[in-house]
Amino acid sequence: HNVGEVCKALLHLIKFPKATIGKLVDIIPGPDFPTGGTLVEDRNAVIAAYNTGRGGFRVRAKWTTEKLGRGQYNIVVTEIPYHVQKSRLIEKIAELLNARKLPMLNDVVDESTEEVRIVIEPKNRAVDPVLLMEQLYRQTDLETRFNLNINVIDAENTPRVMNLRETLQAFLDHRMEVLVRRT
């Protein structure tokens, strides 16, 4: 999770000890992955996962269309989901292309340097980019699922599954105990 968001949630929990999971999810909207991507779960699913301490999140690659003129375009993937190897992803797309399982796709090119840049060329300009990406999401790792399991050792040294609010409160209680011991 984003450290800044977690700190804001902790401060909110200090000011409002009976804060709801929904309010905490407003502050911490979901996990923050280092390779980027877009969280596509609806807010209710995220709240349900944080409310029980178990669940999952779907993360999709981030993409844009790049206009080439005369109505032609390319799709440029700029962020891929966490734990997806770019080389394997491109290999998988190429395999599906060779097996003719992606009829709307013409070619895929890796133009990455320091940043991810995967160029996807559609078969023709009549292909809808959203439909093409939906097809790629279904058949490749451009969309992945991450499980959430907030299994925490509580103050009595007992491991248990906690919800988001209990986890944040346990951290605040721990910090308070550490500060009292230190002083």
Side-chain angles (χ1 to χ4, degrees):
H1 289 87
N2 184 305
V3 176
E5 293 171 353
V6 171
C7 289
K8 285 179 188 174
L10 290 168
L11 288 172
H12 182 77
L13 198 57
I14 290 170
K15 290 178 187 173
F16 305 101
K18 296 187 188 275
T20 64
I21 301 285
K23 180 59 182 169
L24 293 173
V25 169
D26 288 341
I27 300 168
I28 303 175
D32 186 25
F33 297 109
T35 58
T38 305
L39 185 68
V40 292
E41 291 294 330
D42 65 331
R43 186 173 190 281
N44 293 333
V46 173
I47 290 173
Y50 280 131
N51 206 13
T52 60
R54 294 181 190 269
F57 302 106
R58 284 182 305 143
V59 179
R60 285 185 173 176
K62 197 174 280 188
W63 60 276
T64 58
T65 56
E66 192 176 77
K67 303 292 183 191
L68 300 176
R70 297 185 182 164
Q72 294 181 337
Y73 67 91
N74 283 337
I75 296 173
V76 179
V77 176
T78 55
E79 296 178 5
I80 57 176
Y82 187 56
H83 278 294
V84 173
Q85 289 184 351
K86 184 182 57 165
S87 58
R88 282 202 187 146
L89 174 67
I90 293 170
E91 279 179 24
K92 176 70 173 175
I93 294 172
E95 285 173 15
L96 291 170
L97 188 61
N98 290 336
R100 300 186 189 271
K101 293 186 179 180
L102 296 171
M104 294 189 281
L105 187 64
N106 187 36
D107 195 15
V108 61
V109 180
D110 182 15
E111 295 180 355
S112 303
T113 55
E114 294 286 322
E115 292 142 11
V116 174
R117 183 176 164 85
I118 302 170
V119 178
I120 298 170
E121 298 175 15
K123 194 69 120 177
N124 57 43
R125 64 182 175 200
V127 173
D128 183 29
V130 175
L131 290 176
L132 176 57
M133 289 306 293
E134 287 294 331
Q135 186 179 38
L136 287 170
Y137 288 145
R138 281 192 303 273
Q139 296 183 11
T140 66
D141 283 340
L142 284 173
E143 177 180 291
T144 58
R145 185 162 183 82
F146 287 93
N147 293 323
L148 172 74
N149 184 8
I150 308 177
N151 200 356
V152 181
I153 297 177
D154 61 9
E156 291 84 39
N157 289 331
T158 307
R160 67 184 181 101
V161 176
M162 294 184 183
N163 65 30
L164 179 63
R165 190 181 162 296
E166 291 172 334
T167 305
L168 294 173
Q169 189 60 52
F171 176 75
L172 289 174
D173 294 344
H174 170 72
R175 289 301 303 155
M176 186 65 166
E177 185 178 332
V178 169
L179 289 172
V180 167
R181 281 185 188 176
R182 187 175 67 189
T183 56

